[in-house]
Amino acid sequence: MFELFSYGDAGWGDEILRGLAITVQLAIVTLPVGLFLGFLAAFASMSKLAPLRYLGFGYTTVMRGLPEILTLFVVYNGVGLLINAILHWWNPEASPTEFSPFAAGVVALGMVFGAFAGEVLRGAFQSLDQGQVEAGRAIGMTERKVFWRIRLPQLWRFALPGLGNLWINMLKDTALVSVIALDDLMRMTKVAVGVTKQPFTFYLLACMIYWAMCVLSELVLARMEKRANRGIRRAS
Amino acid sequence: MHPIEIITQYWPRLLDGTLLTIKLTLLGALIAGLVSPAFALIRVHASPMAQAPLRLYISFMRGTPILAQLFLIFYGSGQFRPELQELGLWTFFRDPFNCALLAFALNSTAYQTEILRGGILGVPQGEIEAARAVGMSRLLTLRRVVFPHAYRIAWPALGNEVILLMKASALASIVTVFDLMGRTRQIFSRTFDFSVYLWAALIYLCITALFVLLWRQAERRLDLHIDARHKVRNANQPQKDTMT
């Protein structure tokens, strides 16, 4: 049975590993995009300007309420249509282009990650010790300096557990891009199933790989949390 | 086509899909809700060795994409077709709706078990001791003291889990279940009108909003006696003052 998973022409090991590489790439590229959107959403929902607050609230609420697969289809089909419309308007003779599934995956998963991260970051900002911020101001720090020297370094400690959960969720959500024809782990598994007619074996293998990635992430995150909380006195 | 035309022309299909989405979600959540209390008790009370299989199951369900779990059940069952046919289970696994329901119920069971475990652990030890002191049996203590309080603690988290399940139920469309997402994709493939996705988004948001309202209403009912006690206490306050 193991020759099925071997490397090379006989087995499906290399195809599945290539799919895994795409999955990992997608997750790693999405993370900074999602974090950036998350910070934007957090700042917007804490803004002094009411319209910005509504915008932040609307974005996080809508994105968290929609199925991820719907978001993915909206981005993939909608942005594709939009690009073609603009292209057609700019140059009527241009041939319609395909919106890359990878880019659609990054945008859609990033938007979902950003909405949840916005809430996590807002919560983290609000749980910072206000006394330290006041102390910073009292010794004459500007708001900008207070942000960079006092708020941001401590934000990490409060936001890490929430962001860690989001990372694991996003890692699992990458499986959805197989539906829009990106050759990730899930889709390569499907290809292998199509040829070998052993769906259970191969989907179980895919599950095991995702599982291993999640468990590994959890271990790394636990370490990071430990490191982030070093020097914090705890009541025991 | 105009966005309004889409809804006037295709609303019966969308309604049909919406009902199927709700059915899939509620059934899945309900099945999981029936199994999870027993599992949660095992997670709280059983010895670590006895817990091991359950922990493995929960870790697997939480560590793999629901889509992969769904494929494992729906397509994977095909590999055991002769055996399943012999057991008379093949008709069950042939239907994508059943497979989706099974996958969602299994997945939600894992999450609900962990949520409920947190609730049970949150019940103050004193309440259980008091119940034992007035002579309640173990089972009666569970029924009258532990579970009512555990559910009150776990209620908001359980609501979140049902919403997550509702969102996940859209994946059923990939194994050809015609839920709201499935109907939406069907209409899109026919009309190539993008606005149908926006209608679907609106419907999903409405379902979520409605559910949140209902769940909060239920939470208020669960906490009714707590509110009443606070009210009584407040009403007594002036009296006490005049007495002293």
Side-chain angles (χ1 to χ4, degrees):
Chain A
M1 198 179 102
F2 282 99
E3 61 260 32
L4 268 180
F5 306 138
S6 67
Y7 215 80
D9 287 337
W12 290 90
D14 47 338
E15 280 83 356
I16 285 171
L17 277 182
R18 226 180 304 138
L20 177 63
I22 298 274
T23 291
V24 172
Q25 266 174 35
L26 184 65
I28 288 175
V29 174
T30 303
L31 185 65
V33 176
L35 274 178
F36 178 70
L37 287 173
F39 269 105
L40 282 188
F43 287 139
S45 51
M46 290 187 304
S47 160
K48 287 194 189 81
L49 299 169
L52 260 182
R53 267 207 310 277
Y54 292 138
L55 194 71
F57 175 77
Y59 166 67
T60 51
T61 310
V62 168
M63 276 325 232
R64 289 186 305 156
L66 291 180
E68 290 79 3
I69 183 91
L70 182 67
T71 308
L72 187 64
F73 275 118
V74 166
V75 169
Y76 184 53
N77 292 321
V79 177
L81 286 175
L82 198 69
I83 287 177
N84 278 334
I86 292 171
L87 213 65
H88 190 77
W89 169 79
W90 189 58
N91 176 12
E93 275 120 70
S95 55
T97 54
E98 278 276 306
F99 184 41
S100 124
F102 190 86
V106 169
V107 172
L109 292 175
M111 278 166 77
V112 174
F113 187 97
F116 283 93
E119 292 294 282
V120 169
L121 292 171
R122 191 169 60 92
F125 269 121
Q126 282 167 352
S127 39
L128 292 179
D129 185 359
Q130 209 54 38
Q132 296 185 9
V133 175
E134 281 161 19
R137 284 193 198 127
I139 59 166
M141 284 188 178
T142 58
E143 278 305 309
R144 182 184 294 245
K145 230 175 195 168
V146 167
F147 179 79
W148 285 107
R149 296 236 174 122
I150 297 176
R151 286 183 202 249
L152 202 60
Q154 297 197 68
L155 185 72
W156 184 236
R157 191 160 63 88
F158 290 105
L160 190 58
L163 292 179
N165 276 343
L166 293 182
W167 160 258
I168 290 176
N169 277 347
M170 193 255 284
L171 199 59
K172 291 191 288 173
D173 282 343
T174 56
L176 299 178
V177 295
S178 64
V179 180
I180 55 169
L182 182 61
D183 289 332
D184 75 326
L185 173 57
M186 205 63 205
R187 201 172 139 87
M188 292 320 280
T189 308
K190 196 168 192 155
V191 172
V193 165
V195 176
T196 59
K197 306 286 177 216
Q198 295 204 5
F200 192 83
T201 317
F202 277 96
Y203 283 124
L204 192 64
L205 176 70
C207 279
M208 291 297 164
I209 295 174
Y210 279 112
W211 197 10
M213 284 197 288
C214 285
V215 171
L216 191 71
S217 297
E218 271 169 20
L219 288 178
V220 172
L221 283 165
R223 280 220 139 166
M224 285 166 78
E225 263 172 57
K226 209 169 179 187
R227 195 179 142 73
N229 283 313
R230 72 195 186 283
I232 303 294
R233 211 186 311 159
R234 253 176 209 273
S236 54
Chain B
M1 218 186 295
H2 197 269
I4 301 292
E5 268 174 58
I6 284 276
I7 201 90
T8 50
Q9 193 175 347
Y10 288 105
W11 72 266
R13 278 164 197 261
L14 287 173
L15 181 68
D16 198 49
T18 306
L19 291 178
L20 197 61
T21 289
I22 293 173
K23 189 173 149 194
L24 198 57
T25 309
L26 290 186
L27 269 178
L30 192 70
I31 295 169
L34 290 176
V35 185
S36 56
F39 281 6
L41 279 180
I42 295 175
R43 280 289 278 123
V44 174
H45 292 298
S47 68
M49 275 304 281
Q51 276 186 33
L54 192 58
R55 292 179 69 153
L56 204 65
Y57 159 72
I58 291 170
S59 172
F60 180 83
M61 283 295 162
R62 301 213 299 186
T64 53
I66 302 193
L67 188 67
Q69 294 163 15
L70 184 60
F71 282 2
L72 188 65
I73 292 174
F74 182 62
Y75 296 115
S77 59
Q79 196 170 328
F80 305 106
R81 188 173 171 177
E83 291 89 340
L84 287 170
Q85 265 170 338
E86 215 165 287
L87 290 166
L89 285 172
W90 181 242
T91 43
F92 177 88
F93 282 102
R94 208 177 41 185
D95 183 10
F97 179 84
N98 291 340
C99 287
L101 185 59
L102 182 64
F104 298 152
L106 283 173
N107 185 275
S108 194
T109 301
Y111 282 94
Q112 288 192 27
T113 300
E114 283 303 281
I115 292 169
L116 207 51
R117 186 186 78 124
I120 292 174
L121 288 175
V123 177
Q125 205 55 37
E127 288 184 16
I128 297 164
E129 281 163 11
R132 307 284 295 160
V134 297
M136 283 192 190
S137 68
R138 250 166 211 282
L139 211 62
L140 199 61
T141 308
L142 280 182
R143 189 157 66 86
R144 290 261 175 90
V145 179
V146 175
F147 274 120
H149 199 168
Y151 269 104
R152 235 170 34 234
I153 296 170
W155 198 254
L158 283 175
N160 279 343
E161 162 54 20
V162 178
I163 291 177
L164 286 182
L165 187 64
M166 198 271 295
K167 289 186 354 179
S169 77
L171 296 179
S173 67
I174 297 169
V175 291
T176 67
V177 174
F178 283 110
D179 69 332
L180 178 52
M181 189 71 208
R183 287 292 177 200
T184 305
R185 288 175 68 189
Q186 189 190 30
I187 297 169
F188 181 77
S189 68
R190 208 164 286 183
T191 61
F192 283 103
D193 189 325
F194 181 67
S195 63
V196 67
Y197 278 121
L198 303 180
W199 283 112
L202 196 64
I203 296 172
Y204 271 115
L205 288 179
C206 285
I207 300 175
T208 313
L210 202 68
F211 176 80
V212 168
L213 283 178
L214 286 174
W215 202 259
R216 242 182 237 158
Q217 208 65 37
E219 188 178 346
R220 208 165 287 163
R221 290 205 67 153
L222 279 177
D223 292 347
L224 215 52
H225 61 290
I226 293 179
D227 275 354
R229 206 167 58 192
H230 280 302
K231 267 177 205 147
V232 169
R233 204 175 281 163
N234 291 342
N236 283 342
Q237 219 67 45
Q239 258 182 336
K240 265 187 192 165
D241 284 346
T242 50
M243 272 165 80
T244 46

